[in-house]
Amino acid sequence: MSFKIDEWIVRLDENSRPETIIVESSTECNFSCPYCFRKTFYENIQKRFLDIELFKKIVEECDRGNIRRIVFTGFGEPTLNPYFHDMLGLASSRFSRVVLNTNGSRIQEFEKEILNNLDKLELVISIHGEDTFNIIEDLMKKVEEKRGKIHTRAIIVISRHNYEYLINILEKCLKYFSIIIMTNIIPIDDRSLEDTCIDDQLCENYVRNMLARYGFKFMFSGSCVKSVDFKLRTSVFECPFVDSKAMFVRSDGLVSPCMFMSHGWRCYLQGIERTISPVTYGDLSEDSIISVWRRPTYAKFRFLVKMRQFPCCLDCDLVQYCTFTLSNEHDCWGNSPSCAFCPFARKLAYCPV
């Protein structure tokens, strides 16, 4: 399969396939974080679960296609799917690496599956303050005793209201997590715009000084502590989805190029409201994983992202006037869809791949 870009013919490797399947098992969440993207949805998807039969089909195709890594994440809490016990058990038996992104609220209910599959299961827990440890600590102690801290990640959302207390949360995370990532709020309205640490010098200085001051302690703890950027660097454009050859499967079975463009929602970057329209390339209830992956429109999109062929709307002199920057549908370079203002590709926020 090949496609044409201007005067060049680009040929896709005939053996091309995804290396990671990212599954959104639920769009429902039992938390109500004020900065959550779900609050700006303009689609009727507040409560939708991935069908168990479709999940089994996905697993079978991954098995035949030698796709060995699966990630449970999405715009909802994965463990709320009523069949998640079955999904986690099936994934653990068929994949060599299973990643569970969770808010930790229901993690105790899956203790048996987690402890029995520590050789292949990676836990990624969003830490929403010190209270999170009251829920997860008993299980994390058992995980640490049985396997140590390998294959555990903590994601800490930092804001102008919590950055001065980060060290308290970090101290607790160091006991149980091998990787600790601090990420920014992506503003969705005026309130979260005032709360984000993006472009906030005081917040950045505090975090940088803390990392420098406690660097040796973090290093000797056996944990890797890192932070996203606080200011835009136009030299940075790295898409974790494309770089890791990941495919995002929505809870209705539709395939999106990434989580950022999987649903219709709005963000509020640099004081400008921007609309993200959903982008899909196929339906796994009707199509196979490989056929969708090799579809020319999808392959061309991945090629352009890999070659960094997108402008940066976030530092353009015309950002306050240009209508292209108001959505991901087009950009001034002729791309459709566009990643021109993606905060994840610019390393302003952590991307859960």
Side-chain angles (χ1 to χ4, degrees), residues 5 51 56 60 86 90 102 117 123 128 133 140 152 154 172 175 188 215 242 248 261 277 282 285-286 292 302 307 326:
I5 300 178
D51 180 73
K56 290 177 181 178
E60 289 296 330
D86 298 326
L90 183 58
T102 174
N117 293 285
L123 284 173
H128 295 269
F133 289 92
M140 295 309 295
T152 53
K172 291 180 177 290
K175 298 178 182 178
I188 59 171
V242 170
F248 187 90
M261 293 198 287
S277 298
S285 63
E286 301 174 356
V292 174
R302 296 197 309 274
M307 295 297 105
L326 301 181

mmCIF file of all heavy atoms in Angstrom, residues 5 51 56 60 86 90 102 117 123 128 133 140 152 154 172 175 188 215 242 248 261 277 282 285-286 292 302 307 326:
data_model
loop_
_atom_site.group_PDB
_atom_site.id
_atom_site.type_symbol
_atom_site.label_atom_id
_atom_site.label_comp_id
_atom_site.label_asym_id
_atom_site.label_seq_id
_atom_site.Cartn_x
_atom_site.Cartn_y
_atom_site.Cartn_z
ATOM 1 N N ILE A 5 2.246 12.137 -1.434
ATOM 2 C CA ILE A 5 2.320 13.433 -0.773
ATOM 3 C C ILE A 5 3.130 14.354 -1.675
ATOM 4 O O ILE A 5 4.351 14.183 -1.812
ATOM 5 C CB ILE A 5 2.961 13.336 0.622
ATOM 6 C CG1 ILE A 5 2.151 12.404 1.520
ATOM 7 C CG2 ILE A 5 3.089 14.708 1.263
ATOM 8 C CD1 ILE A 5 2.732 12.217 2.901
ATOM 9 N N ASP A 51 -18.193 -3.486 24.814
ATOM 10 C CA ASP A 51 -18.867 -4.779 24.839
ATOM 11 C C ASP A 51 -17.856 -5.909 25.024
ATOM 12 O O ASP A 51 -16.796 -5.922 24.384
ATOM 13 C CB ASP A 51 -19.646 -4.964 23.537
ATOM 14 C CG ASP A 51 -20.385 -6.281 23.490
ATOM 15 O OD1 ASP A 51 -21.398 -6.415 24.189
ATOM 16 O OD2 ASP A 51 -19.928 -7.187 22.759
ATOM 17 N N LYS A 56 -13.348 -9.579 23.240
ATOM 18 C CA LYS A 56 -12.817 -10.909 22.934
ATOM 19 C C LYS A 56 -12.330 -10.969 21.485
ATOM 20 O O LYS A 56 -11.293 -11.575 21.192
ATOM 21 C CB LYS A 56 -13.886 -11.974 23.176
ATOM 22 C CG LYS A 56 -14.227 -12.186 24.649
ATOM 23 C CD LYS A 56 -15.344 -13.210 24.807
ATOM 24 C CE LYS A 56 -15.701 -13.418 26.276
ATOM 25 N NZ LYS A 56 -16.837 -14.377 26.431
ATOM 26 N N GLU A 60 -8.502 -11.787 20.238
ATOM 27 C CA GLU A 60 -8.202 -12.853 19.279
ATOM 28 C C GLU A 60 -7.379 -12.318 18.110
ATOM 29 O O GLU A 60 -6.406 -12.945 17.671
ATOM 30 C CB GLU A 60 -9.501 -13.483 18.764
ATOM 31 C CG GLU A 60 -10.238 -14.326 19.787
ATOM 32 C CD GLU A 60 -9.450 -15.545 20.230
ATOM 33 O OE1 GLU A 60 -8.654 -16.059 19.413
ATOM 34 O OE2 GLU A 60 -9.618 -15.976 21.374
ATOM 35 N N ASP A 86 -13.384 -10.043 33.831
ATOM 36 C CA ASP A 86 -13.156 -10.951 32.700
ATOM 37 C C ASP A 86 -12.141 -10.364 31.730
ATOM 38 O O ASP A 86 -11.283 -11.087 31.199
ATOM 39 C CB ASP A 86 -14.474 -11.215 31.972
ATOM 40 C CG ASP A 86 -15.502 -11.893 32.857
ATOM 41 O OD1 ASP A 86 -15.093 -12.708 33.713
ATOM 42 O OD2 ASP A 86 -16.697 -11.620 32.694
ATOM 43 N N LEU A 90 -8.613 -12.138 30.855
ATOM 44 C CA LEU A 90 -8.342 -12.553 29.480
ATOM 45 C C LEU A 90 -7.091 -11.875 28.940
ATOM 46 O O LEU A 90 -6.243 -12.515 28.304
ATOM 47 C CB LEU A 90 -9.542 -12.221 28.599
ATOM 48 C CG LEU A 90 -9.463 -12.643 27.132
ATOM 49 C CD1 LEU A 90 -9.248 -14.153 27.011
ATOM 50 C CD2 LEU A 90 -10.716 -12.219 26.383
ATOM 51 N N THR A 102 -5.551 3.687 36.120
ATOM 52 C CA THR A 102 -6.711 3.757 37.001
ATOM 53 C C THR A 102 -6.574 4.879 38.018
ATOM 54 O O THR A 102 -5.452 5.297 38.335
ATOM 55 C CB THR A 102 -6.908 2.410 37.733
ATOM 56 O OG1 THR A 102 -7.961 2.534 38.696
ATOM 57 C CG2 THR A 102 -5.635 1.992 38.460
ATOM 58 N N ASN A 117 -0.720 -11.683 38.482
ATOM 59 C CA ASN A 117 -0.164 -11.367 37.159
ATOM 60 C C ASN A 117 0.893 -10.275 37.218
ATOM 61 O O ASN A 117 1.059 -9.507 36.279
ATOM 62 C CB ASN A 117 -1.295 -10.953 36.207
ATOM 63 C CG ASN A 117 -2.243 -12.081 35.894
ATOM 64 O OD1 ASN A 117 -1.926 -12.993 35.129
ATOM 65 N ND2 ASN A 117 -3.418 -12.036 36.500
ATOM 66 N N LEU A 123 0.949 -1.295 36.678
ATOM 67 C CA LEU A 123 -0.048 -0.434 37.311
ATOM 68 C C LEU A 123 0.330 1.022 37.118
ATOM 69 O O LEU A 123 1.456 1.428 37.421
ATOM 70 C CB LEU A 123 -0.160 -0.736 38.801
ATOM 71 C CG LEU A 123 -0.913 -2.001 39.212
ATOM 72 C CD1 LEU A 123 -0.774 -2.210 40.720
ATOM 73 C CD2 LEU A 123 -2.377 -1.905 38.831
ATOM 74 N N HIS A 128 -4.589 11.592 43.273
ATOM 75 C CA HIS A 128 -5.410 12.798 43.423
ATOM 76 C C HIS A 128 -5.291 13.353 44.838
ATOM 77 O O HIS A 128 -6.275 13.766 45.446
ATOM 78 C CB HIS A 128 -6.867 12.488 43.106
ATOM 79 C CG HIS A 128 -7.098 12.106 41.676
ATOM 80 N ND1 HIS A 128 -7.406 13.018 40.696
ATOM 81 C CD2 HIS A 128 -7.034 10.903 41.052
ATOM 82 C CE1 HIS A 128 -7.543 12.410 39.540
ATOM 83 N NE2 HIS A 128 -7.316 11.119 39.723
ATOM 84 N N PHE A 133 -3.838 7.391 48.939
ATOM 85 C CA PHE A 133 -3.054 6.329 49.577
ATOM 86 C C PHE A 133 -3.859 5.537 50.599
ATOM 87 O O PHE A 133 -3.529 4.400 50.899
ATOM 88 C CB PHE A 133 -1.792 6.921 50.210
ATOM 89 C CG PHE A 133 -0.783 7.358 49.193
ATOM 90 C CD1 PHE A 133 -0.782 8.660 48.720
ATOM 91 C CD2 PHE A 133 0.139 6.476 48.672
ATOM 92 C CE1 PHE A 133 0.128 9.074 47.763
ATOM 93 C CE2 PHE A 133 1.044 6.872 47.716
ATOM 94 C CZ PHE A 133 1.047 8.175 47.255
ATOM 95 N N MET A 140 -0.710 -1.908 47.478
ATOM 96 C CA MET A 140 0.624 -1.549 47.009
ATOM 97 C C MET A 140 1.705 -2.155 47.897
ATOM 98 O O MET A 140 2.793 -2.494 47.426
ATOM 99 C CB MET A 140 0.775 -0.038 46.939
ATOM 100 C CG MET A 140 -0.124 0.640 45.908
ATOM 101 S SD MET A 140 -0.032 -0.078 44.247
ATOM 102 C CE MET A 140 1.664 0.307 43.804
ATOM 103 N N THR A 152 5.490 -0.068 38.084
ATOM 104 C CA THR A 152 4.461 0.734 38.746
ATOM 105 C C THR A 152 4.741 2.200 38.456
ATOM 106 O O THR A 152 5.878 2.657 38.543
ATOM 107 C CB THR A 152 4.453 0.519 40.275
ATOM 108 O OG1 THR A 152 5.761 0.730 40.797
ATOM 109 C CG2 THR A 152 3.986 -0.887 40.628
ATOM 110 N N ALA A 154 3.180 6.307 39.005
ATOM 111 C CA ALA A 154 2.237 7.231 39.633
ATOM 112 C C ALA A 154 2.176 8.495 38.782
ATOM 113 O O ALA A 154 3.216 9.020 38.371
ATOM 114 C CB ALA A 154 2.679 7.570 41.050
ATOM 115 N N LYS A 172 5.329 9.683 49.797
ATOM 116 C CA LYS A 172 4.530 8.463 49.848
ATOM 117 C C LYS A 172 4.716 7.633 48.570
ATOM 118 O O LYS A 172 4.795 6.410 48.622
ATOM 119 C CB LYS A 172 3.054 8.819 50.042
ATOM 120 C CG LYS A 172 2.738 9.410 51.415
ATOM 121 C CD LYS A 172 1.262 9.742 51.540
ATOM 122 C CE LYS A 172 0.939 10.256 52.929
ATOM 123 N NZ LYS A 172 1.026 9.201 53.955
ATOM 124 N N LYS A 175 7.730 5.074 48.031
ATOM 125 C CA LYS A 175 7.706 3.753 48.651
ATOM 126 C C LYS A 175 7.253 2.665 47.683
ATOM 127 O O LYS A 175 7.662 1.514 47.799
ATOM 128 C CB LYS A 175 6.767 3.757 49.860
ATOM 129 C CG LYS A 175 7.157 4.694 50.983
ATOM 130 C CD LYS A 175 6.117 4.629 52.105
ATOM 131 C CE LYS A 175 6.440 5.596 53.227
ATOM 132 N NZ LYS A 175 5.405 5.562 54.298
ATOM 133 N N ILE A 188 -9.797 23.624 30.706
ATOM 134 C CA ILE A 188 -11.045 23.403 29.973
ATOM 135 C C ILE A 188 -12.003 24.573 30.135
ATOM 136 O O ILE A 188 -13.035 24.620 29.458
ATOM 137 C CB ILE A 188 -11.740 22.100 30.432
ATOM 138 C CG1 ILE A 188 -12.045 22.157 31.938
ATOM 139 C CG2 ILE A 188 -10.896 20.885 30.082
ATOM 140 C CD1 ILE A 188 -12.911 21.017 32.432
ATOM 141 N N GLY A 215 16.927 15.606 44.570
ATOM 142 C CA GLY A 215 17.344 14.722 43.495
ATOM 143 C C GLY A 215 18.046 13.460 43.957
ATOM 144 O O GLY A 215 17.739 12.359 43.497
ATOM 145 N N VAL A 242 1.969 7.676 18.093
ATOM 146 C CA VAL A 242 2.585 7.298 16.819
ATOM 147 C C VAL A 242 3.950 6.673 17.044
ATOM 148 O O VAL A 242 4.300 5.664 16.422
ATOM 149 C CB VAL A 242 2.686 8.519 15.889
ATOM 150 C CG1 VAL A 242 3.531 8.201 14.659
ATOM 151 C CG2 VAL A 242 1.283 8.964 15.457
ATOM 152 N N PHE A 248 -5.796 3.431 19.322
ATOM 153 C CA PHE A 248 -6.770 3.693 20.378
ATOM 154 C C PHE A 248 -8.148 3.190 19.942
ATOM 155 O O PHE A 248 -8.667 3.595 18.896
ATOM 156 C CB PHE A 248 -6.841 5.188 20.683
ATOM 157 C CG PHE A 248 -7.705 5.523 21.875
ATOM 158 C CD1 PHE A 248 -7.157 5.572 23.148
ATOM 159 C CD2 PHE A 248 -9.061 5.781 21.727
ATOM 160 C CE1 PHE A 248 -7.950 5.868 24.253
ATOM 161 C CE2 PHE A 248 -9.852 6.075 22.819
ATOM 162 C CZ PHE A 248 -9.298 6.125 24.085
ATOM 163 N N MET A 261 -7.839 12.887 20.342
ATOM 164 C CA MET A 261 -8.805 13.121 19.273
ATOM 165 C C MET A 261 -9.865 12.030 19.175
ATOM 166 O O MET A 261 -10.498 11.859 18.131
ATOM 167 C CB MET A 261 -8.078 13.282 17.932
ATOM 168 C CG MET A 261 -7.232 14.533 17.855
ATOM 169 S SD MET A 261 -6.768 15.038 16.174
ATOM 170 C CE MET A 261 -5.537 13.793 15.779
ATOM 171 N N SER A 277 -12.591 17.861 17.518
ATOM 172 C CA SER A 277 -13.587 17.003 16.871
ATOM 173 C C SER A 277 -13.068 15.572 16.851
ATOM 174 O O SER A 277 -11.871 15.340 16.638
ATOM 175 C CB SER A 277 -13.854 17.474 15.435
ATOM 176 O OG SER A 277 -14.383 18.782 15.431
ATOM 177 N N GLY A 282 -11.985 3.697 11.489
ATOM 178 C CA GLY A 282 -12.577 2.386 11.263
ATOM 179 C C GLY A 282 -13.360 1.933 12.471
ATOM 180 O O GLY A 282 -13.346 2.571 13.526
ATOM 181 N N SER A 285 -15.894 -3.465 15.183
ATOM 182 C CA SER A 285 -17.022 -4.403 15.166
ATOM 183 C C SER A 285 -17.286 -4.883 13.747
ATOM 184 O O SER A 285 -17.973 -5.896 13.539
ATOM 185 C CB SER A 285 -18.270 -3.742 15.747
ATOM 186 O OG SER A 285 -18.678 -2.643 14.954
ATOM 187 N N GLU A 286 -16.738 -4.163 12.752
ATOM 188 C CA GLU A 286 -16.924 -4.538 11.348
ATOM 189 C C GLU A 286 -15.598 -4.835 10.644
ATOM 190 O O GLU A 286 -15.547 -5.669 9.739
ATOM 191 C CB GLU A 286 -17.632 -3.404 10.593
ATOM 192 C CG GLU A 286 -18.995 -3.042 11.165
ATOM 193 C CD GLU A 286 -19.596 -1.827 10.496
ATOM 194 O OE1 GLU A 286 -18.906 -1.220 9.642
ATOM 195 O OE2 GLU A 286 -20.746 -1.484 10.810
ATOM 196 N N VAL A 292 -7.714 -1.720 9.379
ATOM 197 C CA VAL A 292 -7.847 -0.322 9.792
ATOM 198 C C VAL A 292 -6.467 0.327 9.890
ATOM 199 O O VAL A 292 -6.259 1.449 9.422
ATOM 200 C CB VAL A 292 -8.588 -0.214 11.145
ATOM 201 C CG1 VAL A 292 -8.586 1.230 11.638
ATOM 202 C CG2 VAL A 292 -10.018 -0.722 11.018
ATOM 203 N N ARG A 302 -0.312 9.030 10.276
ATOM 204 C CA ARG A 302 0.811 8.615 11.119
ATOM 205 C C ARG A 302 2.140 9.068 10.515
ATOM 206 O O ARG A 302 3.056 9.472 11.236
ATOM 207 C CB ARG A 302 0.814 7.092 11.317
ATOM 208 C CG ARG A 302 -0.382 6.557 12.063
ATOM 209 C CD ARG A 302 -0.139 5.143 12.591
ATOM 210 N NE ARG A 302 0.340 4.224 11.572
ATOM 211 C CZ ARG A 302 -0.443 3.526 10.752
ATOM 212 N NH1 ARG A 302 -1.755 3.665 10.807
ATOM 213 N NH2 ARG A 302 0.075 2.687 9.870
ATOM 214 N N MET A 307 6.898 12.514 10.792
ATOM 215 C CA MET A 307 7.806 13.458 10.150
ATOM 216 C C MET A 307 7.686 14.875 10.712
ATOM 217 O O MET A 307 8.314 15.800 10.238
ATOM 218 C CB MET A 307 7.536 13.493 8.642
ATOM 219 C CG MET A 307 7.826 12.191 7.910
ATOM 220 S SD MET A 307 9.593 11.710 7.983
ATOM 221 C CE MET A 307 9.529 10.380 9.184
ATOM 222 N N LEU A 326 -8.783 27.256 16.120
ATOM 223 C CA LEU A 326 -9.952 27.044 16.965
ATOM 224 C C LEU A 326 -10.425 25.595 16.983
ATOM 225 O O LEU A 326 -11.310 25.242 17.759
ATOM 226 C CB LEU A 326 -11.101 27.954 16.512
ATOM 227 C CG LEU A 326 -10.801 29.458 16.543
ATOM 228 C CD1 LEU A 326 -12.019 30.244 16.108
ATOM 229 C CD2 LEU A 326 -10.347 29.902 17.930
#
